[in-house]
Amino acid sequence: MARPRRSKPHRMSKTHDRRAHDLPRNADVIPVEIDDPLALEPGDKIVALRSVRSDPLGRLHAHKQLDDAQYRAGRAFQNDWERAERGPQAIDPSREHVDGARGREPVTEGQRQAVLRLNGAERELGADGAAITHDVLVHGLTMEQVGHKRGLASQRWNDYFARRFKECLDRLAVVYGFSTDRIARKCDGAVRSGRRGES
């Protein structure tokens, strides 16, 4: 006589656990909440792991060293840079001509607007601020690498570049409309309190 099979309990948590458990040794990831691509109901969220190994802006935000306005301004700058960079490329006369190669792409209105916003942002940041912002947001350099690039390798310079980069993100947050001008308000408040002390 055959033995009756016992039914095993059904574990839903194991069935739908799609998280990666084996990460590379040098992985630098943070948990983020995103829309569930396999959701049955709209608006369902899941927690995913995002790599911040080559993303200094994401790493600073994940470690609570940047606020949301600074983070969003940095992402807007990166988005504008990518959009402007996708524009028409110069023709390289040294390359061999290939039949069926695509011709020049016209500049779209979105690309033109991105270039205008970038020009305005660089005017606001100044030459030094624009260079630091470009190094971190476009090239993905850390503060140590920014200092080494300029021949300034010490913790004091790293702290200076980190502070200066945060100031640049504050300016970008104002330029892109993610915050009001906090710096101007602080300065106005200091001037007003100084005037009160004089009277």
Side-chain angles (χ1 to χ4, degrees), residues 121-148:
E122 289 184 359
R123 274 194 304 273
E124 281 287 323
L125 296 175
D128 185 47
I132 293 170
T133 303
H134 192 270
D135 283 344
V136 177
L137 295 180
V138 176
H139 295 299
L141 301 182
T142 62
M143 297 309 150
E144 293 83 11
Q145 292 169 330
V146 170
H148 282 294

Side-chain angles (χ1 to χ4, degrees), residues 12-187:
M12 291 295 289
S13 62
K14 286 286 187 189
T15 306
H16 297 289
D17 188 7
R18 298 185 299 259
R19 293 177 290 179
H21 295 286
D22 52 343
L23 295 172
R25 189 174 342 136
N26 58 354
D28 190 5
V29 295
I30 58 167
V32 291
E33 192 173 273
I34 60 170
D35 291 330
D36 187 357
L38 304 174
L40 299 176
E41 298 290 325
D44 285 349
K45 303 280 186 187
I46 60 171
V47 175
L49 296 177
R50 184 179 77 194
S51 175
V52 292
R53 184 172 173 203
S54 59
D55 182 16
L57 186 68
R59 188 180 310 113
L60 290 170
H61 186 253
H63 293 296
K64 308 290 186 217
Q65 295 175 355
L66 298 178
D67 62 18
D68 287 338
Q70 291 169 326
Y71 175 73
R72 291 174 67 193
R75 287 292 185 229
F77 182 89
Q78 289 174 328
N79 187 32
D80 278 347
W81 183 264
E82 289 172 5
R83 188 176 294 170
E85 196 177 49
R86 247 184 272 140
Q89 305 293 322
I91 295 176
D92 186 2
S94 65
R95 290 182 66 193
E96 187 176 327
H97 177 72
V98 179
D99 288 340
R102 294 185 322 183
R104 282 188 174 184
E105 293 180 11
V107 177
T108 65
E109 183 62 25
Q111 291 168 343
R112 194 177 75 75
Q113 291 297 324
V115 169
L116 290 175
R117 282 191 299 270
L118 286 173
N119 290 339
E122 289 184 359
R123 274 194 304 273
E124 281 287 323
L125 296 175
D128 185 47
I132 293 170
T133 303
H134 192 270
D135 283 344
V136 177
L137 295 180
V138 176
H139 295 299
L141 301 182
T142 62
M143 297 309 150
E144 293 83 11
Q145 292 169 330
V146 170
H148 282 294
K149 183 178 175 182
R150 289 161 174 75
L152 306 167
S154 71
Q155 187 59 43
R156 189 172 179 180
W157 280 109
N158 293 345
D159 294 343
Y160 166 75
F161 288 125
R163 195 170 51 251
R164 184 72 177 97
F165 177 63
K166 287 179 187 177
E167 290 171 3
C168 292
L169 288 176
D170 282 336
R171 290 308 313 160
L172 286 177
V174 172
V175 168
Y176 283 103
F178 295 118
S179 73
T180 57
D181 198 351
R182 293 182 284 186
I183 298 166
R185 279 192 280 146
K186 286 179 186 176
C187 293

